[in-house]
């Protein structure tokens, strides 16, 4: 009973065995042994490298001291009576090359015995020209090669020697020298004086390659390298790497790092000839100045070697531990994964649609509780699925019964559902596959051929085959506001459009029939009013004038109705061509002026003579402007009406301003809709039927123009319209006469 809580909690099933596993892993202390061994080896290697670097640096300093002693003796050498050689200073001052050669010959012979590595000897005069320039044959140490005279004045230390410049350590100089022929040297230079006068100097140079190779052999370092203090690049080395000397390059601030870390040194690693070496750096100090940096290198195998000795034992121990861990891990994993695999199999069956499957795992731990919860969840899922399926069936039945076509698309506009009405509109049988996407549904906008419903042209009418439909598209959003679907409703408007067109044709026919007798009545009334049929009494004259005025008004209304019918039926055509706007405007003014004068209104006109031609219809443009001008005169009881025109960019703008009562904000929304009239217009003796501005708007738009209400207040209103000007390009592309319908 005491162990039951342990068996009922899966965490204990995992923790307790792995506590035992931790004891086994503790045997892996061999890793600590490896770190200890390699750490000691690394420390010993660092100490050995640092000591070797100091030994090599000291050896180079000793070599420089030997060279300096040699040069001091050479510079002060007097005449040799036995050999007939003059003093070195005298021969150099006289430019006596032969005498100078005899004077230095004894020093050259004994240089090796004196510890001097004399690889190149140069004596230069006061102009910096090499009087004696010898180099030891690199292939035969006993042979010398006399080199031609060379200008040495460009070397910094030669300039200082000839200038008599001295520092705190005297007038001798030493350092690293690149001779320009690929050979690098450690040089020592001293001035040569005749009395107190400097007549030249002497240079002793030691090949660094040979010097470093000898020092490597003496110090048992694998590689010894000298670095340029200016940039940390390898200057010379005891070996020449296959990849070039640049593989030994160090940090550009190498000398600064050496100066800032004098106690613990600077170390680095480098790959040379496919082998890793560890380097220790030390400053190269000559005559108290750091003239460069020095490194010695040993192969990293020195560190790995101790590990190789105990590798077999550690590998064996590791294999045993790994076997134990794997065995125990498999056992524990099986205890956990067996019920999990059974639960996974059940979950996969449920996912596949088998909602009757249940888990058979029975235990008191977390997996058992998970299996029980999963079975409960599956039962709830089954109930929910049944409810959803029932609801989906009910909604599908509703969609199927809708008389309008319904198309449901996913977020990518792929069609997922069509109801029977949609199939009928798309002319698809029950067996025909629907289009893949909504874009494949071929619809043709009716455009200008669309009928007017509610006083405005319906923009959402399209033709699908022989049917005319209204298309309504509505997105479906999820809780995050993302579009997850789109519902497209197709309302069959074929019969409505046919009825509307029949109505339009009927109105057009009736209007034509009315216009003929009205024209006769108006003409006869005009003849009677002018007393061409005999004199009239005052009362008769008044009656005849009333008949004439009302017949003219009725003719205007009938003409407007005929125009609307022509626009709707497509029988009204537009001949778009360049026309002179100023004469057309003046004709409209002339026709309206009498009406304005009868009302006592002033009709002001501002039309420049240089207005450019516009692209418009010579008949319909004056008609449209006349409608706006007539509307301004009709609803202005006193004051004036003003028409102005001006060139504005690539268009001509026409403004018609009146001093009428203005237009209310509510009326402005429907100003250009058919049969729209203001409150005042309903009671005005000049009232129309609300077609003037609607006709003007449609005529202007079909001539690529724009019309709008610019301003309205209690002091009057301003209507503005623009038309495109004629250019060379527009003349070339000017369309041929077409019907107003698309």
């Amino acid at each position: 009973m005491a162990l039951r809580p342990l068996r009922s909690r899966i965490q204990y099933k995992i923790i307790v065995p792995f506590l035992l596993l931790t004891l086994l892993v503790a045997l892996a202390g061999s890793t600590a042994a490896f770190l200890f061994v390699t750490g000691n080896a690394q420390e010993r290697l660092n100490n050995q490298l640092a000591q070797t670097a100091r030994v090599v640096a000291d050896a180079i300093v000793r070599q420089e001291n030997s060279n300096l002693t040699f040069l001091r003796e050479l510079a002060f050498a007097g005449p040799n009576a036995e050999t007939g050689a003059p003093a070195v200073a005298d021969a150099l001052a006289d430019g006596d090359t032969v005498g100078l050669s005899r004077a230095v010959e004894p020093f050259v012979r004994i240089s090796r015995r004196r510890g001097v590595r004399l690889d190149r000897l140069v004596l230069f005069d006061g102009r910096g020209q090499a009087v004696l320039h010898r180099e030891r044959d690199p292939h035969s140490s006993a042979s010398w090669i006399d080199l031609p005279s060379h200008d040495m004045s460009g070397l910094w230390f030669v300039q200082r020697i000839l200038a008599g410049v001295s520092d705190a350590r005297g007038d001798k100089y030493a350092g690293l020298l690149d001779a320009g022929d690929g050979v690098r040297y450690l040089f020592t230079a001293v001035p040569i004086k005749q009395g107190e006068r400097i007549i030249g100097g002497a240079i002793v140079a030691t090949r660094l390659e040979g010097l470093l190779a000898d020092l490597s052999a003496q110090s048992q370092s694998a590689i010894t390298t000298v670095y340029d203090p200016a940039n940390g690049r390898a200057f010379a080395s005891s070996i020449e790497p296959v990849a070039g000397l640049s593989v030994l390059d160090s940090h550009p601030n190498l000398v600064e790092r050496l100066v800032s870390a004098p106690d613990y040194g600077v170390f680095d690693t480098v790959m040379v000839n496919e082998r890793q070496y560890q380097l220790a750096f030390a400053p190269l100090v000559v005559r108290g100045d750091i003239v460069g940096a020095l490194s010695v290198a040993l192969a990293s195998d020195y560190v790995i070697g101790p590990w190789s000795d105990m590798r077999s034992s550690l590998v064996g121990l590791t294999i045993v531990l790994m076997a134990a861990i794997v065995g125990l891990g498999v056992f524990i994993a099986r205890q956990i994964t067996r019920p999990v695999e059974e639960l996974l199999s059940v979950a996969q069956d449920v996912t596949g649609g088998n909602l009757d499957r249940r888990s058979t795992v029975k235990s008191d731990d977390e997996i058992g509780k998970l299996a029980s919860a999963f079975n409960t969840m599956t039962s709830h899922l089954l109930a929910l699925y049944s409810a959803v399926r029932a609801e989906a069936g009910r909604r599908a039945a509703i969609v199927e019964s809708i008389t309008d076509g319904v198309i449901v698309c996913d977020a990518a506009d792929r069609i997922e559902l069509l109801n029977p009405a949609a199939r009928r509109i798309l002319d698809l049988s029950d067996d025909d596959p629907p289009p893949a996407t909504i874009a494949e549904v071929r619809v043709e906008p009716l455009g200008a051929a669309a009928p007017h419903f509610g006083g405005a042209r319906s923009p959402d009418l399209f033709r699908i085959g022989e049917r005319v439909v209204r298309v309504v598209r509505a997105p479906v959003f999820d809780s995050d506001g993302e579009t997850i679907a789109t519902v497209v409703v197709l309302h069959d408007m074929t019969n409505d459009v046919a009825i509307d067109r029949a109505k339009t044709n009927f109105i057009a026919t009736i209007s034509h029939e009315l216009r003929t007798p009205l024209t006769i009545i108006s003409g006869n009334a005009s003849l009677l009013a002018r007393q061409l049929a005999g004199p009239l009494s005052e009362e008769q004259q008044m009656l005849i004038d009333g008949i004439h005025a009302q017949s003219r008004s009725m003719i205007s209304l009938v003409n407007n109705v005929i125009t609307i019918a022509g626009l709707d039926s497509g029988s009204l055509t537009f001949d778009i061509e360049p026309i002179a706007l100023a004469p057309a405007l003046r004709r409209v003014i002339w026709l309206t002026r009498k009406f304005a004068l009868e009302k006592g209104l002033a009709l002001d006109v501002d039309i420049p003579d240089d207005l450019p031609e516009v692209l418009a219809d010579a008949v319909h443009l004056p008609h449209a402007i006349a409608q706006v001008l007539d509307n301004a005169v009709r609803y202005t009881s006193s004051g004036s009406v003003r028409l102005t025109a001006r060139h504005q960019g690539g268009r001509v703008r026409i403004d018609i301003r009146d001093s009428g009562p203005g237009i209310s904000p509510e009326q402005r929304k429907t100003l250009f809709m058919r049969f729209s009239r203001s409150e005042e217009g309903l009671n005005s003796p000049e009232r129309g039927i609300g077609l003037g501005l609607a006709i003007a708007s449609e005529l202007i738009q079909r001539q690529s123009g724009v019309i709008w209400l610019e301003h309205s207040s209690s002091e009057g209103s301003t209507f503005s319209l623009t038309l495109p000007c004629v250019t060379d390009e527009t003349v070339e592309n000017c369309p041929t006469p077409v019907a107003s319908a698309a």
Side-chain angles (χ1 to χ4, degrees):
M1 296 297 293
L3 296 178
R4 182 165 183 173
L6 296 179
R7 293 197 302 268
S8 64
R9 300 295 299 274
I10 193 171
Q11 60 178 344
Y12 295 124
K13 289 184 177 180
I14 298 175
I15 292 174
V16 172
F18 275 92
L19 286 175
L20 300 176
L21 182 61
T22 303
L23 297 177
L24 294 176
V25 174
L27 297 177
S30 55
T31 304
F34 164 72
L35 297 176
F36 177 76
V37 172
T38 56
N40 285 345
Q42 182 66 57
E43 184 176 358
R44 291 196 301 272
L45 177 62
N46 290 345
N47 293 336
Q48 182 176 347
L49 284 171
Q51 179 63 28
T52 303
R54 287 191 290 270
V55 169
V56 172
D58 292 342
I60 293 177
V61 172
R62 288 194 300 272
Q63 180 64 57
E64 193 274 334
N65 288 333
S66 299
N67 292 350
L68 182 60
T69 302
F70 172 81
L71 280 177
R72 187 180 295 114
E73 295 177 356
L74 180 66
F76 292 102
N80 190 332
E82 295 180 3
T83 62
V88 172
D90 295 338
L92 183 60
D94 297 336
D96 183 3
T97 305
V98 176
L100 190 60
S101 178
R102 288 201 304 271
V104 301
E105 184 63 30
F107 295 94
V108 173
R109 287 199 303 270
I110 65 172
S111 61
R112 281 288 184 180
R113 297 197 300 271
R114 301 283 296 276
V116 179
R117 296 182 63 94
L118 184 59
D119 293 322
R120 181 172 286 199
L121 175 63
V122 181
L123 280 82
F124 56 89
D125 58 18
R127 295 179 294 107
Q129 298 294 321
V131 178
L132 177 67
H133 193 176
R134 287 186 176 181
E135 180 182 14
R136 189 184 298 276
D137 190 343
H139 305 293
S140 174
S141 60
S143 301
W144 288 85
I145 302 173
D146 286 321
L147 301 177
S149 178
H150 182 68
D151 186 6
M152 312 293 289
S153 61
L155 299 176
W156 65 272
F157 54 87
V158 172
Q159 297 173 2
R160 293 175 69 89
I161 287 174
L162 295 178
V165 177
S166 300
D167 55 20
R169 298 176 182 84
D171 56 359
K172 285 76 174 173
Y173 298 93
L176 305 178
L177 175 64
D178 186 350
D181 53 2
V183 182
R184 311 290 173 81
Y185 294 92
L186 172 68
F187 77 89
T188 305
V190 299
I192 297 178
K193 299 180 180 179
Q194 192 177 47
E196 296 299 325
R197 183 170 65 91
I198 298 175
I199 60 170
I203 305 172
V204 169
T206 302
R207 289 193 187 95
L208 279 173
E209 181 179 351
L211 176 61
L212 296 178
D214 292 344
L215 293 177
S216 292
Q218 295 172 15
S219 63
Q220 297 183 348
S221 67
I223 305 173
T224 304
T225 307
V226 172
Y227 296 87
D228 190 330
N231 50 34
R233 293 180 179 174
F235 190 76
S237 179
S238 59
I239 67 170
E240 180 69 25
V242 175
L245 200 60
S246 61
V247 300
L248 295 169
D249 288 350
S250 183
H251 195 276
N253 299 326
L254 175 60
V255 173
E256 296 179 8
R257 295 173 62 188
L258 289 171
V259 172
S260 61
D263 297 331
Y264 52 84
V266 177
F267 300 92
D268 200 357
T269 57
V270 66
M271 291 293 297
V272 178
N273 299 342
E274 299 183 356
R275 190 175 184 186
Q276 188 177 42
Y277 291 85
Q278 184 156 337
L279 283 70
F281 296 89
L284 181 57
V285 181
V286 178
R287 295 183 66 249
D289 292 330
I290 298 179
V291 299
L294 177 73
S295 75
V296 294
L298 290 176
S300 298
D301 298 345
Y302 183 82
V303 179
I304 305 301
W307 160 245
S308 301
D309 297 337
M310 56 185 306
R311 179 173 55 190
S312 299
S313 300
L314 289 177
V315 169
L317 179 60
T318 302
I319 292 175
V320 172
L321 289 176
M322 290 299 297
I325 292 172
V326 171
L328 188 57
V330 170
F331 173 76
I332 295 173
R334 291 304 299 163
Q335 296 296 314
I336 299 174
T337 58
R338 188 179 294 111
V340 172
E341 289 174 354
E342 196 274 342
L343 187 58
L344 176 61
S345 175
V346 174
Q348 289 174 339
D349 284 352
V350 170
T351 302
N354 184 10
L355 298 180
D356 296 326
R357 177 77 184 275
R358 297 294 182 271
S359 174
T360 59
V361 174
K362 304 294 182 182
S363 65
D364 296 331
D365 57 21
E366 285 85 348
I367 294 182
K369 293 178 181 178
L370 176 63
S372 177
F374 183 83
N375 290 338
T376 303
M377 180 189 68
T378 305
S379 300
H380 287 309
L381 182 63
L382 180 59
L384 180 63
Y385 176 73
S386 300
V388 169
R389 186 166 54 183
E391 179 65 17
R394 186 176 71 85
R395 294 185 180 184
I398 294 174
V399 172
E400 293 287 325
S401 63
I402 294 176
T403 57
D404 288 337
V406 177
I407 303 175
V408 180
C409 308
D410 62 11
D413 281 346
R414 291 185 291 267
I415 295 178
E416 296 182 339
L417 174 67
L418 290 89
N419 70 345
R423 285 185 170 274
R424 184 178 65 256
I425 292 173
L426 298 179
D427 197 20
L428 295 174
S429 66
D430 294 340
D431 298 329
D432 291 336
T437 64
I438 192 65
E440 296 181 16
V441 177
R442 299 297 182 89
V443 296
E444 178 185 354
L446 286 186
H452 287 70
F453 293 108
R457 189 177 303 278
S458 298
D460 53 356
L461 292 184
F462 298 86
R463 186 181 300 279
I464 300 179
E466 298 298 325
R467 298 179 183 272
V468 177
V469 298
R470 171 175 280 130
V471 179
V472 180
R473 185 184 180 108
V476 179
F477 303 100
D478 60 11
S479 58
D480 297 328
E482 297 290 334
T483 302
I484 59 174
T486 302
V487 177
V488 180
V489 178
L490 306 177
H491 181 59
D492 193 347
M493 299 288 293
T494 305
N495 293 334
D496 300 87
V497 172
I499 293 172
D500 181 81
R501 287 177 177 169
K503 175 201 68 177
T504 300
N505 293 334
F506 173 75
I507 292 174
T509 302
I510 294 299
S511 299
H512 277 288
E513 294 299 326
L514 286 174
R515 185 166 58 179
T516 301
L518 285 174
T519 302
I520 296 173
I521 292 172
S522 177
N524 291 337
S526 177
L527 294 174
L528 292 173
R530 286 183 288 172
Q531 299 185 7
L532 296 179
L536 298 174
S537 65
E538 182 179 351
E539 183 178 357
Q540 290 173 334
Q541 185 69 44
M542 182 178 65
L543 292 174
I544 292 298
D545 289 342
I547 293 172
H548 186 220
Q550 292 299 324
S551 63
R552 283 191 310 168
S553 178
M554 286 298 298
I555 290 173
S556 176
L557 294 179
V558 169
N559 286 337
N560 284 346
V561 171
I562 292 174
T563 300
I564 288 293
L567 288 170
D568 287 348
S569 64
S571 61
L572 203 64
T573 60
F574 289 78
D575 187 6
I576 305 301
E577 61 183 356
I579 65 171
L581 184 60
L585 291 177
R586 291 191 178 95
R587 286 196 300 272
V588 173
I589 294 297
W590 184 82
L591 293 173
T592 312
R593 186 178 297 277
K594 181 180 179 181
F595 183 30
L597 294 176
E598 289 177 354
K599 297 189 67 175
L601 302 177
L603 189 58
D604 300 328
V605 179
D606 182 7
I607 304 174
D609 293 332
D610 58 349
L611 279 179
E613 292 184 330
V614 296
L615 280 176
D617 185 282
V619 175
H620 296 311
L621 177 60
H623 186 192
I625 297 174
Q627 292 286 355
V628 182
L629 193 61
D630 179 78
N631 188 76
V633 173
R634 184 181 300 275
Y635 290 103
T636 302
S637 57
S638 64
S640 64
V641 175
R642 181 176 179 81
L643 184 147
T644 61
R646 65 180 183 274
H647 187 198
Q648 190 178 66
R651 304 178 75 85
V652 171
R653 174 168 174 165
I654 301 171
D655 294 318
I656 299 174
R657 186 176 68 223
D658 60 53
S659 58
I663 302 170
S664 65
E666 295 78 11
Q667 182 67 20
R668 296 173 193 174
K669 300 176 182 178
T670 59
L671 194 58
F672 295 101
M673 294 179 62
R674 298 179 183 182
F675 307 108
S676 173
R677 292 186 295 178
S678 65
E679 295 281 342
E680 295 82 359
L682 294 174
N683 302 316
S684 172
E686 303 290 347
R687 65 183 180 274
I689 60 174
L691 290 177
L693 291 179
I695 291 174
S697 176
E698 293 198 36
L699 291 177
I700 292 297
Q701 289 177 12
R702 298 197 187 194
Q703 298 173 78
S704 300
V706 182
I707 184 171
W708 70 94
L709 176 64
E710 176 69 20
H711 169 74
S712 182
S713 67
S714 59
E715 298 179 355
S717 304
T718 301
F719 286 85
S720 301
L721 62 94
T722 61
L723 294 164
C725 295
V726 176
T727 63
D728 295 339
E729 181 179 355
T730 56
V731 171
E732 294 176 2
N733 299 329
C734 185
T736 56
V738 294
S740 63

